[in-house]
Amino acid sequence: MDFNPSPQVESLRERILAFMDEHVYPNEREAMEALDEEVGPGVAYPQILVEIRERAKSEGLWNLFIPDERYGPGLTNWEYGMLCEEMGRSPVVASMAFNCSAPDTGNMEILAEHGTEEQKDRWLAPLLDGQIRSCFSMTEPAVSGSDPTTLRTRAVREGDEWVINGHKWFTSGAVGAAVAIVMVVTDPEAHPYARASMILVPTDADGFNLIRPVPVMGHDRGPGHCEIRYEDCRVPASNLLGPEGGGFVIAQDRLGPGRIHHCMRAIGTAERAIEMMCRRANEREAFGGKLAEKQFIQDFVAKSRMEVDQARLLTLHAAWKMDTAGKRAARQDISMIKVVAANVVMDVLDRSIQVHGALGMTDDTPLAAMWRYSRMLRIADGPDEVHKMVIARRELGRWAKRAEEEASPPDAAAAERQPAAT
């Protein structure tokens, strides 16, 4: 493992940092407010973000996430991870600025890998070009989102159409999106992991009913986390993404890189929180001295520095393993980073807010918004508890297998090598 960035990656990183200093941070608050006010039916991005995005696109800072060289720079997961960390310093605005925001990133990846040429022309090309946004519609309010084998939304084939009926929520980014990728049950009698398929549904299709953006910690504006009802929603049979019954396989293809992206953005958010905490501690005076001189503040800073560096190395290792050995080989590592990064960013943000005092609770700094945005990471893409369960099962299984091997009788060749009893 060598995580020294290549000249290409280092150049991209420096350009991203410069772009954020010049265009993202100065417009961050205005862009966030515009997202809340201007995004709606038929409006994917507010004008201020359109202008920032066009500038990023013209400078070649575009679609950096996609490993396929036909569509992007062809970076590995760990190489993009380094860039994703810098974008995570402004997790909403920066990722949108560079056309690297979820759920579009995951949707573009699976369209590139599993879409037909017709689907790529209609949906992937405008997504890559930044003309439209998309959403991913899987979670349902009636069943556990962490157990997708229980999904109830049905799609029935009728001639040359799929007819979809079901109830979804937390379809993130649905307000202003042009297309949804919907996880549906197409064969309820099949094996639990072969019941579901993915279907592309234009958001202007009859029967696609966006009920509301679900309020999340008091916030229900912008692209939203939406409740949707599919009521006799008809789309062409050709809108099936990948093979029928392939929904779970495609979902796993989507989740692996997506979790790397989430974790590296979380690390970038935590880095910005450390910077803000240290600046505040060095400047603020209380009880006869700088906050930086107080032992408990030093404890905050030391813990934060150690935890973030550990999380970064663990995440880069998981990305490297995915690149070199495949997604299946990296499953344990991906589960571990999902838990670690999501908790580290919350701990660091909490400390930074505490050091800022009442100011940290206001929207005069980005800390409160970053805290609200980051809290979902302990639930999205699998809650901590599910990842801990599978981590423990794999570890216990590894040692159970080792015990079986140690208890089994040696083969004849091994027995001959044993020294004679004396």
Side-chain angles (χ1 to χ4, degrees):
M1 291 172 286
D2 180 1
F3 296 139
N4 285 316
S6 67
Q8 178 194 19
V9 173
E10 185 57 36
S11 173
L12 286 168
R13 180 176 174 275
E14 290 174 357
R15 290 163 58 200
I16 286 170
L17 290 171
F19 188 94
M20 290 179 67
D21 284 339
E22 186 174 355
H23 303 292
V24 173
Y25 298 137
N27 297 295
E28 186 176 38
R29 185 167 180 175
E30 183 182 351
M32 291 289 287
E33 291 173 352
L35 273 169
D36 284 350
E37 298 299 327
E38 297 179 30
V39 166
V43 179
Y45 299 98
Q47 186 58 35
I48 186 171
L49 260 174
V50 170
E51 294 168 3
I52 295 171
R53 284 164 57 81
E54 286 300 319
R55 185 178 292 273
K57 188 177 180 181
S58 69
E59 295 185 15
L61 300 174
W62 196 252
N63 294 333
L64 302 172
F65 69 94
I66 199 159
D68 192 325
E69 291 183 349
R70 293 175 296 172
Y71 309 116
L75 303 177
T76 64
N77 283 295
W78 77 263
E79 287 176 326
Y80 172 66
M82 290 186 168
L83 307 182
C84 196
E85 176 182 339
E86 305 303 347
M87 298 176 202
R89 293 175 63 87
S90 178
V92 176
V93 176
S95 58
M96 283 189 171
F98 302 115
N99 208 38
C100 291
S101 58
D104 287 338
T105 48
N107 291 345
M108 284 188 267
E109 285 172 338
I110 59 176
L111 275 165
E113 189 170 349
H114 300 282
T116 64
E117 291 306 312
E118 178 186 356
Q119 291 167 353
K120 291 176 183 178
D121 288 343
R122 183 176 180 187
W123 303 117
L124 179 60
L127 281 167
L128 288 166
D129 199 43
Q131 298 173 6
I132 62 171
R133 284 193 297 101
S134 62
C135 55
F136 188 70
S137 195
M138 185 176 82
T139 306
E140 299 178 3
V143 297
S144 170
S146 58
D147 183 7
T149 63
T150 61
L151 291 176
R152 296 179 180 177
T153 298
R154 287 278 281 118
V156 177
R157 179 75 179 265
E158 292 186 5
D160 292 332
E161 293 182 316
W162 289 104
V163 183
I164 303 171
N165 283 281
H167 187 193
K168 301 284 189 180
W169 73 339
F170 283 91
T171 297
S172 298
V175 178
V179 64
I181 297 180
V182 189
M183 187 89 148
V184 294
V185 175
T186 49
D187 184 358
E189 304 304 319
H191 184 278
Y193 292 102
R195 298 170 67 240
S197 305
M198 289 193 185
I199 296 178
L200 291 150
V201 177
T203 57
D204 61 359
D206 290 340
F208 179 96
N209 299 310
L210 198 162
I211 306 301
R212 59 170 181 149
V214 178
V216 176
M217 294 185 174
H219 184 264
D220 63 354
R221 309 297 293 276
H225 302 282
C226 297
E227 179 181 1
I228 296 170
R229 287 192 180 273
Y230 296 87
E231 298 174 313
D232 290 331
C233 183
R234 292 177 176 269
V235 297
S238 59
N239 281 26
L240 181 71
L241 179 61
E244 186 174 343
F248 284 92
V249 172
I250 298 172
Q252 290 304 310
D253 286 345
R254 186 181 186 280
L255 281 172
R259 285 170 176 156
I260 298 289
H261 303 171
H262 276 315
C263 291
M264 289 305 291
R265 273 195 294 267
I267 291 163
T269 299
E271 280 288 357
R272 189 176 181 190
I274 292 176
E275 176 186 338
M276 293 179 66
M277 175 167 51
C278 290
R279 288 182 182 275
R280 175 74 170 183
N282 284 331
E283 295 167 358
R284 188 72 162 180
E285 291 201 16
F287 300 101
K290 301 286 188 185
L291 286 180
E293 298 170 1
K294 314 302 182 186
Q295 190 173 15
F296 63 87
I297 299 294
Q298 294 171 1
D299 182 70
F300 280 3
V301 173
K303 282 181 178 176
S304 299
R305 178 76 278 143
M306 291 185 290
E307 290 167 0
V308 170
D309 284 1
Q310 290 173 72
R312 177 187 295 106
L313 288 172
L314 191 64
T315 304
L316 288 175
H317 175 263
W320 169 84
K321 197 168 185 179
M322 186 188 299
D323 290 330
T324 56
K327 294 172 185 173
R328 185 176 179 83
R331 288 182 305 170
Q332 183 81 330
D333 306 80
I334 292 170
S335 287
M336 290 191 292
I337 64 170
K338 178 63 176 60
V339 176
V340 169
N343 282 271
V344 164
V345 69
M346 291 306 296
D347 288 343
V348 175
L349 281 167
D350 189 72
R351 293 173 194 141
S352 190
I353 289 171
Q354 198 73 7
V355 171
H356 281 75
L359 176 63
M361 301 297 295
T362 73
D363 289 332
D364 288 353
T365 81
L367 289 169
M370 291 194 295
W371 191 97
R372 185 182 66 231
Y373 176 85
S374 299
R375 181 58 182 85
M376 64 90 179
L377 295 176
R378 292 191 55 210
I379 296 174
D381 291 349
D384 287 0
E385 291 71 23
V386 171
H387 284 287
K388 289 178 181 178
M389 176 182 69
V390 298
I391 291 165
R393 284 179 177 175
R394 290 179 185 132
E395 190 69 7
L396 290 165
R398 182 167 73 93
W399 288 103
K401 182 178 179 181
R402 179 74 62 87
E404 289 176 5
E405 292 171 350
E406 292 171 348
S408 61
D411 59 30
E416 289 178 2
R417 291 195 295 269
Q418 297 297 320
T422 58

